Amino acid sequence: AVHETSANAVAFSPDGRRLVSGGNDGRLQLSDAATGDVLATWEHVKDGRAAGIAWSPDGRYVFAPSSRPSGKLWNAATGAPLHTNEGAKGEIYDAAFSPDSSRVALAWTGGEARILDTATTTDVVALVGHAGGVHAVAWHPGGALLATAGADRAIRLWEVPSGRLVRTLTGHTE
């Protein structure tokens, strides 16, 4: 069995050979995608679920939010935790790596998105402007813009790394 409870998040490595899954047991499991063999188990969070997993485009990092107000940046090759994002800002809903894997954007329930530098594990910028939680983050393929979607039914486009709000898209009714 891969997880002691249900699995609720999954992400392929960029080369498609490995798969990481997160479960309600608070663990991450690294598996061989071709055989299904479990290669490693990472203790992600105590008394919570692992969710919203993102694998960096260069294959070096995995970021997994959790149901606790935290998330972890993992070394995908060794399974070593590189950084834990503890959250006074609430739960992390979503994570997305920049196209060059140098940054990971995090969507927080507390109404902001944060960008973490993967090499230094320091915050690059906080993007504040949504009324309510930020539910999703997505990078422009060029890496200079980040889109955030929030509970306020707006999508905001941000210039990175300055954090300047470029545009707000509205029209969602739910």
Side-chain angles (χ1 to χ4, degrees), residues 21-48:
S21 59
N24 286 336
D25 57 6
R27 293 186 178 110
L28 299 179
Q29 298 271 260
L30 182 66
S31 301
D32 183 293
T35 66
D37 293 339
V38 175
L39 305 173
T41 300
W42 305 338
E43 295 298 327
H44 183 59
V45 61
K46 254 186 194 255
D47 302 322

Side-chain angles (χ1 to χ4, degrees), residues 27-164:
R27 293 186 178 110
L28 299 179
Q29 298 271 260
L30 182 66
S31 301
D32 183 293
T35 66
D37 293 339
V38 175
L39 305 173
T41 300
W42 305 338
E43 295 298 327
H44 183 59
V45 61
K46 254 186 194 255
D47 302 322
R49 65 178 169 77
I53 299 168
W55 205 310
S56 66
D58 66 5
R60 293 178 56 198
Y61 307 105
V62 169
F63 190 92
S66 74
S67 59
R68 297 281 182 231
S70 68
K72 282 186 184 171
L73 179 67
W74 296 87
N75 179 314
T78 66
L82 301 173
H83 179 73
T84 299
N85 257 64
E86 296 295 343
K89 303 297 179 196
E91 182 180 341
I92 301 172
Y93 273 149
D94 192 25
F97 282 92
S98 61
D100 67 0
S101 302
S102 67
R103 296 162 292 191
V104 60
L106 309 174
W108 292 83
T109 60
E112 70 180 39
R114 299 184 79 76
I115 299 174
L116 180 74
D117 183 288
T118 54
T120 64
T121 66
T122 57
D123 281 341
V124 175
V125 66
L127 307 172
V128 180
H130 284 281
V134 178
H135 293 181
V137 288
W139 287 91
H140 181 276
L145 291 176
L146 181 77
T148 59
D152 58 2
R153 301 180 304 232
I155 296 170
R156 289 180 166 63
L157 302 179
W158 307 88
E159 186 179 78
V160 179
S162 72
R164 183 178 72 83

